[in-house]
Amino acid sequence: MEFKDVSPSSQSEEQLRFLVQEKIAEGETDIPSERALESALGISRTTLRRSLDVLEKEAVVQKRNRKGMRINAKQTINILKMNSMSSQLPGKQTISVVSNEVVNGDAEASSFLKLDATQPLFKLVRLREVSGRPFSFEISYLNIRRFKEIETIDFNNKSLYQILEERYNTKPTYGREELRFKPACEMLASHLKVPLDTPLFEVVSKAFEEHDEPIEYSKQYLIGDQIKYKINAQHIFDYLEDE
């Protein structure tokens, strides 16, 4: 068995991330001074600054002129990552099922999932809260014939992608997303607890597994002043759409 020690820089990054989560849970945004962090974490100034630079590039923390660092008040999501939203958000999360049902085909979802418009779909609607505040309203569609008995699963406080992988041996490997703005209608305003017509991000996501098989069609509605999207990608290759 091979292994290698965790570098001081990586170790301090993890310690800083844990500190950020503690601060968020306590409703605080200020980061201690570098001198205080050096002493608390037992690391050098060079290692600390390297770790802070990493967190700043990920938009976890922000630098302020002559005022040190502070926690980024907005939750940040990398739009190109194919992991669950749960794994990208710091702070305590609560995911509540609003509805869980089999419905007749939604035109857009059915087209993406390569189904006839009359074929049934599994529709999962959930509300996500982060640190006690409404964060996103999420609607997912899947092929119920492919994922048998999925309507019987309790999706409260559970990752959809994790369940697909563990129970159905299905893992999203890439996706396409469309990002636009939408004013909150009465239904969204009620669930997200914002005034009518509040600007929301509407994110339409199409997730595929290997060999270009469609898995999930979803729409997410996120409060505009609580979220910041970023694009951070490596190893991007040119590709041609299939005819």
Side-chain angles (χ1 to χ4, degrees):
M1 180 174 66
E2 295 183 1
F3 69 93
K4 62 180 179 179
D5 292 335
V6 178
S7 69
S9 180
S10 297
Q11 196 171 28
S12 66
E13 283 174 33
E14 290 305 311
Q15 290 175 298
L16 287 169
R17 292 180 199 279
F18 183 74
L19 174 65
V20 166
Q21 291 180 354
E22 283 188 327
K23 293 286 186 182
I24 290 174
E26 295 169 359
E28 299 180 12
T29 58
D30 289 332
I31 297 289
S33 67
E34 289 188 1
R35 181 173 297 178
L37 287 172
E38 281 180 68
S39 176
L41 302 181
I43 57 177
S44 68
R45 179 70 60 92
T46 301
T47 298
L48 174 64
R49 287 181 174 174
R50 187 179 296 124
S51 299
L52 287 172
D53 284 343
V54 171
L55 267 62
E56 184 187 15
K57 288 177 182 177
E58 294 181 4
V60 175
V61 298
Q62 297 173 308
K63 282 184 179 177
R64 299 176 296 171
N65 291 334
R66 300 180 183 179
K67 293 184 178 180
M69 306 287 288
R70 69 174 298 169
I71 296 170
N72 186 359
K74 292 186 178 182
Q75 307 289 354
T76 302
I77 296 176
N78 184 354
I79 199 170
L80 294 184
K81 276 194 173 182
M82 277 311 298
N83 53 1
S84 66
M85 184 181 290
S86 300
S87 66
Q88 293 200 52
L89 297 175
K92 182 179 180 181
Q93 298 180 51
T94 302
I95 307 172
S96 305
V97 173
V98 176
S99 65
N100 174 349
E101 58 186 335
V102 178
V103 299
N104 290 330
D106 174 276
E108 292 181 2
S110 294
S111 176
F112 170 68
L113 295 171
K114 300 180 181 179
L115 297 173
D116 185 276
T118 61
Q119 291 180 285
L121 297 171
F122 172 63
K123 180 180 180 182
L124 175 64
V125 182
R126 299 192 294 177
L127 177 69
R128 184 185 304 267
E129 296 183 343
V130 177
S131 300
R133 297 177 61 192
F135 180 77
S136 64
F137 187 83
E138 305 165 8
I139 308 171
S140 296
Y141 293 93
L142 297 102
N143 182 350
I144 193 169
R145 294 182 179 178
R146 179 177 179 185
F147 304 107
K148 293 182 179 180
E149 299 183 350
I150 193 170
E151 74 277 11
T152 66
I153 298 174
D154 180 6
F155 282 97
N156 287 290
N157 294 315
K158 294 178 181 176
S159 165
L160 171 61
Y161 282 9
Q162 185 175 350
I163 288 175
L164 291 181
E165 184 173 1
E166 293 178 353
R167 183 159 177 168
Y168 298 98
N169 197 30
T170 299
K171 183 177 181 179
T173 57
Y174 74 96
R176 297 171 184 163
E177 293 196 336
E178 300 173 15
L179 181 63
R180 50 184 175 248
F181 285 100
K182 176 184 177 69
C185 62
E186 288 188 9
M187 182 271 291
L188 292 172
S190 174
H191 282 291
L192 293 172
K193 298 181 181 178
V194 295
L196 192 66
D197 295 327
T198 295
L200 304 176
F201 282 114
E202 180 184 57
V203 185
V204 178
S205 299
K206 300 174 181 179
F208 299 80
E209 66 176 339
E210 198 174 6
H211 309 305
D212 302 328
E213 284 299 313
I215 298 175
E216 176 207 17
Y217 178 91
S218 68
K219 289 184 177 181
Q220 301 170 358
Y221 299 94
L222 305 102
I223 302 172
D225 64 357
Q226 290 188 29
I227 185 74
K228 180 165 64 175
Y229 275 92
K230 70 174 182 177
I231 296 176
N232 184 12
Q234 295 179 332
H235 309 303
I236 297 298
F237 298 93
D238 291 335
Y239 69 94
L240 296 175
E241 294 281 1
D242 294 334
E243 295 294 331

